[in-house]
Amino acid sequence: MAAPCNLSGSCIPSLFKKYLMALTGFVMVGFVLVHMMGNLQMFRGPDAINQYAHFLKTLPGALLWGMRGFLIVAIGVHVWMAILLTKENRAARPQGYLKQAVVRATWASRTMGLSGSLLLFFIVFHVLHFTTRVIFPEYQMEDYYTILEGDVVFNVYQMVVDSFSKPWVTGFYLFAMGALCLHLSHAVWSMFQTLGWTNKRTRPMLKGLARVYGWVIFIGFVVVPLGVISRILPPMMGDEEVIILSIEAEPFDSESL
Amino acid sequence: MKLFLKIWRQPNAAAVGAFEDYVLDNISPDASFLEMLDQLNEQLITQGKEGVAFDHDCREGICGMCSLTINGIAHGPRRATTTCQLHMRHFRDGETVTIEPFRARPFPVLRDLVVDRSAFDKIIQSGGFISVRTGSAPEANQTLVAKPDADRAMDAAECIGCGACVAACKNASAMLFVSAKIVHLNTLPQGAPEKNRRLLNMVKTMDEAGFGNCSNYGECEAVCPKGIPLDFIGQLNREWAVAKMKDIVSGVE
């Protein structure tokens, strides 16, 4: 009766897979909002964003890694379920139509797999770029540290400004945020529908909310690279640089990065 | 009217099918789509050729037998209309019309445009019985049903099980069909005692039949000849979670 249970998930009820998709999606929908608001600290000046980043990185290890682990698990489950569901969906129609019209489904809904795959690639790039800083190893050098209230802190502001001064980086980030906007404009209402928290009256409202949310997140994120390009966020050229050079390498404990 | 038809022909389930082109003239704009196919078949038979097989029965939009994906849309271009109730005046003279069977793994093509939709029957069967007294008709006011509940159940009961939802869904998901059956019986007091068991069994049978998963595209709702709304899928999702919880905690027999 029961299908053999393995990673292919044939034993997992379809609706359970959809629930996991929605719940892990919910975690990420919340995360992008917090992340976006954090990014906007850029506009309050270098000290604000550097202090905020320093605060996050110096959180107790258990809390920081707990949150990171939670997000990694959420992304992992989301991707895993997406793969299982997509495989099943494709298998459900071995012979396609010669002609298939789209009556109501939005472009966003039909390209969730594409936008999702692009976002997964973006997330990996983004973490290697700004968190582990291996894409541009120069960000690991001591030029990128500054003094804030007596502490040596990483100069996130300078890293962001330098990064978005490279046109291809800016281009890729803008493109990825477009994909995020598209993904969210279906995801946010779809999540409520999958969890069954919709009815005739609320569904149009939730669809509207999803679009607004997608645009708010998009705008909130792209203003940073656009701010760099337009010099609203100018490069830091101050006395700090002189001080930075005089600091020894010793305080740059990789644990605190 | 004159139409250029592109129709899927397949002699039997095992055979490899292909599209064939036909030209049909002198079509009355008042003919139904199925009458147009009847006319084509008469022409083919006169020419000594095999007629095109297609499903049909009541021809008044209530039996759920007719199907067909017409120009890429299940039941054709008119909203809330079955193929048998679709009239030729909704097509242009000289238009090319592509006619395909409903496509889904659980709906194998038997011949030409006829597909086997017994996967739906299996889902219905797995839903089981409802507890009502048999024998003489019950007294009219014995079981009271609130008006909004009666209306909602009736809206769901409109589903004729034609399979257009599956045909239109990019994932070939049967969620709209299953949700209509679930909402129909779970909303009424007569269906309440078996509510959870019915829901879990029907979803399980749906999964085993090989239908795809719901991605909330909304194409099913758009093509449904009976206007079954996506809300019902929402209710199915909600009630499934509750039923599954109960099953895990105390077991749903």
Side-chain angles (χ1 to χ4, degrees), chain B residues 34-48:
Chain B
L34 297 186
E35 283 163 349
M36 182 275 291
L37 287 178
D38 290 337
Q39 196 180 327
L40 171 71
N41 280 347
E42 278 170 28
Q43 180 182 304
L44 288 175
I45 291 161
T46 315
Q47 293 167 356

Side-chain angles (χ1 to χ4, degrees), chain A residues 97 99-107 109-110 207 211, chain B residues 68-81 164-165 167-170 216-225:
Chain A
Y97 291 102
K99 205 170 169 184
Q100 191 166 21
V102 175
V103 186
R104 194 172 297 168
T106 57
W107 186 53
S109 74
R110 289 180 294 117
K207 280 188 172 180
R211 286 204 176 146
Chain B
L68 309 184
T69 300
I70 302 161
N71 283 341
I73 304 174
H75 289 298
R78 298 284 293 175
R79 298 285 69 79
T81 306
C165 44
C169 178
K170 190 176 160 225
N216 305 323
Y217 298 121
E219 285 293 288
C220 52
E221 180 188 55
V223 301
C224 178

Side-chain angles (χ1 to χ4, degrees), chain A residues 1-2 12-19 84-86 88-106 109-111 186 189-191 193-201 203 207, chain B residues 6 8 19 69 71-73 79 98 100-106 166-172 175 203-204 206-208 210-219 221-223 230-231 233-234 237-238 240-241:
Chain A
M1 181 188 77
I12 310 171
S14 60
L15 294 190
F16 190 70
K17 282 179 263 197
K18 288 294 300 179
Y19 262 80
L84 294 185
L85 291 164
T86 307
E88 288 172 7
N89 295 344
R90 289 193 179 159
R93 178 164 294 138
Q95 164 99 51
Y97 291 102
L98 175 72
K99 205 170 169 184
Q100 191 166 21
V102 175
V103 186
R104 194 172 297 168
T106 57
S109 74
R110 289 180 294 117
T111 52
H186 179 66
W189 89 265
S190 183
M191 182 172 85
Q193 171 76 8
T194 298
L195 298 174
W197 301 346
T198 50
N199 59 38
K200 203 178 215 146
R201 195 173 50 84
R203 198 149 40 87
K207 280 188 172 180
Chain B
K6 201 179 208 27
W8 180 260
F19 283 95
T69 300
N71 283 341
I73 304 174
R79 298 285 69 79
T98 307
E100 297 174 75
F102 282 178
R103 297 282 189 198
R105 186 157 67 105
V166 175
C169 178
K170 190 176 160 225
N171 305 344
M175 285 287 278
V203 169
K204 192 162 168 285
M206 173 185 85
D207 286 353
E208 284 167 359
F211 289 104
N213 304 286
C214 181
S215 288
N216 305 323
Y217 298 121
E219 285 293 288
E221 180 188 55
V223 301
L230 279 187
D231 309 352
I233 297 182
N237 288 335
R238 187 165 64 238
W240 182 84

Side-chain angles (χ1 to χ4, degrees), chain A residues 180-219:
Chain A
L180 179 62
C181 175
L182 196 67
H183 203 73
L184 287 172
S185 72
H186 179 66
V188 170
W189 89 265
S190 183
M191 182 172 85
F192 288 104
Q193 171 76 8
T194 298
L195 298 174
W197 301 346
T198 50
N199 59 38
K200 203 178 215 146
R201 195 173 50 84
T202 56
R203 198 149 40 87
M205 289 193 270
L206 288 167
K207 280 188 172 180
L209 172 79
R211 286 204 176 146
V212 171
Y213 195 86
W215 279 110
V216 166
I217 295 292
F218 176 76
I219 293 165

Side-chain angles (χ1 to χ4, degrees), chain A residues 19-82:
Chain A
Y19 262 80
L20 284 178
M21 204 70 191
L23 292 171
T24 52
F26 190 79
V27 170
M28 290 182 272
V29 164
F31 172 76
V32 289
L33 182 67
V34 176
H35 189 339
M36 182 206 85
M37 292 194 295
N39 288 6
L40 294 178
Q41 302 292 319
M42 285 289 289
F43 290 95
R44 293 180 57 219
D47 286 355
I49 184 78
N50 290 345
Q51 190 171 26
Y52 175 67
H54 186 65
F55 159 74
L56 288 179
K57 292 236 165 167
T58 52
L59 284 173
L63 183 63
L64 179 65
W65 279 102
M67 293 196 300
R68 284 174 169 177
F70 187 61
L71 275 175
I72 291 167
V73 168
I75 294 172
V77 171
H78 199 75
V79 171
W80 178 31
M81 289 303 126

Side-chain angles (χ1 to χ4, degrees), chain A residues 124-200:
Chain A
V124 172
F125 179 89
H126 183 54
V127 169
L128 294 177
H129 179 198
F130 281 150
T131 311
T132 64
R133 305 197 279 270
V134 296
I135 289 180
F136 302 111
E138 60 265 33
Y139 298 154
Q140 294 173 25
M141 294 196 301
E142 47 195 78
D143 307 18
Y144 282 94
Y145 287 83
T146 185
I147 300 283
L148 184 75
E149 291 168 5
D151 288 330
V152 176
V153 300
F154 186 72
N155 195 344
V156 174
Y157 182 90
Q158 191 61 44
M159 173 173 72
V160 169
V161 169
D162 287 355
S163 285
F164 292 133
S165 301
K166 298 178 180 71
W168 71 268
V169 173
T170 307
F172 178 56
Y173 270 72
L174 293 180
F175 185 63
M177 288 309 101
L180 179 62
C181 175
L182 196 67
H183 203 73
L184 287 172
S185 72
H186 179 66
V188 170
W189 89 265
S190 183
M191 182 172 85
F192 288 104
Q193 171 76 8
T194 298
L195 298 174
W197 301 346
T198 50
N199 59 38
K200 203 178 215 146

Side-chain angles (χ1 to χ4, degrees), chain B residues 164-206:
Chain B
C165 44
V166 175
C169 178
K170 190 176 160 225
N171 305 344
S173 167
M175 285 287 278
L176 195 70
F177 166 75
V178 175
S179 74
K181 302 304 160 196
I182 290 298
V183 171
H184 168 202
L185 292 172
N186 284 16
T187 308
L188 296 171
Q190 288 89 343
E194 303 82 12
K195 182 176 168 174
N196 295 323
R197 186 188 61 197
R198 176 169 49 244
L199 212 165
L200 294 175
N201 286 344
M202 288 177 86
V203 169
K204 192 162 168 285
T205 312
M206 173 185 85

